[in-house]
Amino acid sequence: MERIDEIKEYAHENNVPIMKDDGIDFICDYIKNHGIKKVLEIGSAIGYSAIRFALTSNDINVTTIEIDKNRYNEAIKNINSYNFSDRITIINADALEYDIPESEQFDLIFIDAAKAQYTRFFEKYKKNLITGGVIISDNLSFHGMVEDLSLTHNYSTKKLIRKIKKYIVFLKRNMDFKTSFFEKGDGIAVSEKREKTQDIFGVLDELDIPYKKQEHIAIFSEKDADKVTMELEGIEVKNLFMKDKKGHFVFISTALKKRADLKKLSKTYGFGHLAFCSPEELMQFLNITPGSVTPLCSMFDVDNNIKYFFDSSFKNNNVLIHPLRNTATISISFENLEKFMHHFGHDFTFIDL
């Protein structure tokens, strides 16, 4: 039996989580094919993946962090058995408390530690990633439970799954990175660091959503809208972000000149009296300022705090909406707006207002 197989067997016998074969093979192939030389790993366990990375080439250097003392000691033993102590540096520390100087840069950062802390790991160590480098995250399927929550009835596991889902949305809406998802191992995301921050038009382009754009004066009200000669085809939309005292947040999109029957909506869906949200709540939940509210803001609703309602007249039509600023309008088909919403994990309800 080869030494690497002995490490895998030890992991199996001692309930130490390591990557599935096709998952680790996927990352090793990525390292080979993209000329990766420096790797930072968050979550060493017993050193299995770090050793696999080092085995891909003699000029690969890995820095890996492990919080558990026993696993750290086992990892050192395994690393030394390959004489890799000169190429694999292992640190026994809490990765959220340990600091790596920003001057130390890596080509690839691999996150495979506490799943509930993935977003914090990502945010903390992205400064140590070169432009064009990637952050790879593992276990985003979590044994199929992310796709099918009915596979578990454990409260703590369900809570963890919700955090993984939240992390997936965080990756999708992060305009500093381009993330691709792969059905390898237990679900892998590869997030490439962009040279410059992407804008909403880049997001639409990546989702293959066609649109037409018109620049114009800032529009804050229907009166302002009347001053603009709209050259785009579609239904002009107004958007209402509202709340009730029960803690419900509601996003309503309707035709510009149509008056929304809020009492009917509240009665039908069990809301209390609906009132407009404050500018602070707009920024908190939708990352937008008054006057620029648009269904595209849904990309920032990471926690799915909001219920979305669209005028049924939008079906099979183009809609005219702001691209996160009120000095422009874009025309897209409602079918593609629906595609955008679903990409960021949101459903909606058609209503007759």
Side-chain angles (χ1 to χ4, degrees):
M1 179 183 295
E2 293 188 14
R3 177 61 182 144
I4 200 70
D5 292 323
E6 294 176 358
I7 296 173
K8 287 173 63 177
E9 185 174 336
Y10 176 92
H12 177 73
E13 292 176 351
N14 291 274
N15 295 315
V16 177
I18 60 173
M19 290 195 74
K20 293 183 177 181
D21 289 345
D22 62 330
I24 191 69
D25 289 344
F26 173 85
I27 299 179
C28 289
D29 286 342
Y30 189 95
I31 289 172
K32 293 175 186 175
N33 296 333
H34 292 81
I36 302 297
K37 302 302 179 185
K38 288 190 67 178
V39 177
L40 170 63
E41 179 185 41
I42 311 301
S44 320
I46 57 174
Y48 171 73
S49 50
I51 291 169
R52 285 291 308 270
F53 299 157
L55 285 170
T56 61
S57 176
N58 291 330
D59 57 357
I60 301 292
N61 288 280
V62 181
T63 299
T64 181
I65 306 173
E66 174 55 44
I67 191 172
D68 184 89
K69 185 67 174 180
N70 292 330
R71 291 180 179 179
Y72 165 80
N73 289 332
E74 187 66 25
I76 288 179
K77 183 175 71 175
N78 292 330
I79 291 166
N80 288 339
S81 73
Y82 275 91
N83 295 317
F84 279 166
S85 58
D86 59 331
R87 291 202 290 124
I88 299 178
T89 301
I90 184 166
I91 300 157
N92 182 211
D94 182 340
L96 291 175
E97 296 178 0
Y98 187 79
D99 285 316
I100 296 178
E102 189 171 349
S103 58
E104 187 168 359
Q105 296 283 289
F106 297 88
D107 306 313
L108 185 153
I109 297 175
F110 177 47
I111 302 177
D112 192 24
K115 316 309 169 197
Q117 304 299 330
Y118 268 22
T119 301
R120 294 179 67 193
F121 291 136
F122 192 106
E123 293 283 46
K124 179 176 175 63
Y125 288 102
K126 67 182 182 181
K127 72 181 189 318
N128 297 105
L129 185 68
I130 65 167
T131 299
V134 296
I135 296 178
I136 297 183
S137 311
D138 188 30
N139 297 120
L140 298 189
S141 178
F142 206 75
H143 317 297
M145 296 179 200
V146 170
E147 296 80 10
D148 184 1
L149 193 57
S150 68
L151 293 176
T152 181
H153 298 289
N154 182 277
Y155 173 78
S156 297
T157 302
K158 286 185 175 182
K159 188 176 180 180
L160 175 59
I161 297 303
R162 284 193 289 270
K163 289 185 177 180
I164 294 175
K165 287 183 175 182
K166 180 178 177 180
Y167 177 68
I168 291 170
V169 175
F170 161 81
L171 294 178
K172 288 181 177 180
R173 74 177 180 95
N174 194 319
M175 294 187 179
D176 294 324
F177 288 79
K178 177 183 178 181
T179 297
S180 301
F181 297 89
F182 299 90
E183 294 180 359
K184 298 289 185 179
D186 194 27
I188 290 175
V190 178
S191 304
E192 180 181 350
K193 188 175 183 179
R194 301 180 190 276
E195 186 173 349
K196 61 180 182 179
T197 300
Q198 186 187 44
D199 61 14
I200 187 61
F201 300 108
V203 175
L204 295 173
D205 290 340
E206 284 192 356
L207 294 176
D208 293 322
I209 293 178
Y211 59 89
K212 293 182 178 179
K213 180 178 69 167
Q214 179 179 336
E215 300 284 345
H216 49 65
I217 62 170
I219 295 176
F220 290 95
S221 64
E222 289 184 36
K223 188 175 291 187
D224 291 333
D226 290 337
K227 298 176 185 177
V228 177
T229 300
M230 196 58 64
E231 300 170 357
L232 302 173
E233 293 184 0
I235 298 173
E236 292 188 67
V237 173
K238 68 178 176 183
N239 302 287
L240 310 175
F241 183 44
M242 314 194 79
K243 64 178 181 179
D244 66 9
K245 292 183 178 180
K246 298 178 182 179
H248 298 116
F249 289 90
V250 181
F251 189 103
I252 305 165
S253 286
T254 183
L256 181 63
K257 298 298 184 181
K258 187 176 286 189
R259 184 176 181 276
D261 189 341
L262 299 179
K263 288 184 178 180
K264 177 183 176 182
L265 180 70
S266 295
K267 183 177 180 180
T268 303
Y269 294 96
F271 302 134
H273 173 73
L274 291 172
F276 285 100
C277 291
S278 67
E280 291 75 20
E281 288 167 326
L282 274 174
M283 182 57 65
Q284 177 184 352
F285 293 103
L286 293 174
N287 194 38
I288 202 73
T289 56
S292 298
V293 179
T294 165
L296 301 179
C297 294
S298 61
M299 68 184 292
F300 299 111
D301 177 19
V302 180
D303 294 320
N304 273 300
N305 288 306
I306 303 167
K307 297 183 184 299
Y308 296 88
F309 295 91
F310 290 104
D311 193 322
S312 59
S313 67
F314 293 173
K315 293 179 183 178
N316 304 315
N317 281 300
N318 280 14
V319 291
L320 305 184
I321 58 178
H322 290 315
L324 301 181
R325 58 183 173 89
N326 64 354
T327 54
T329 295
I330 62 170
S331 173
I332 67 172
S333 70
F334 186 80
E335 180 182 4
N336 278 317
L337 178 57
E338 180 179 3
K339 176 182 178 181
F340 181 94
M341 298 280 293
H342 286 165
H343 175 76
F344 289 103
H346 302 302
D347 293 319
F348 61 87
T349 302
F350 276 124
I351 52 174
D352 293 311
L353 293 169

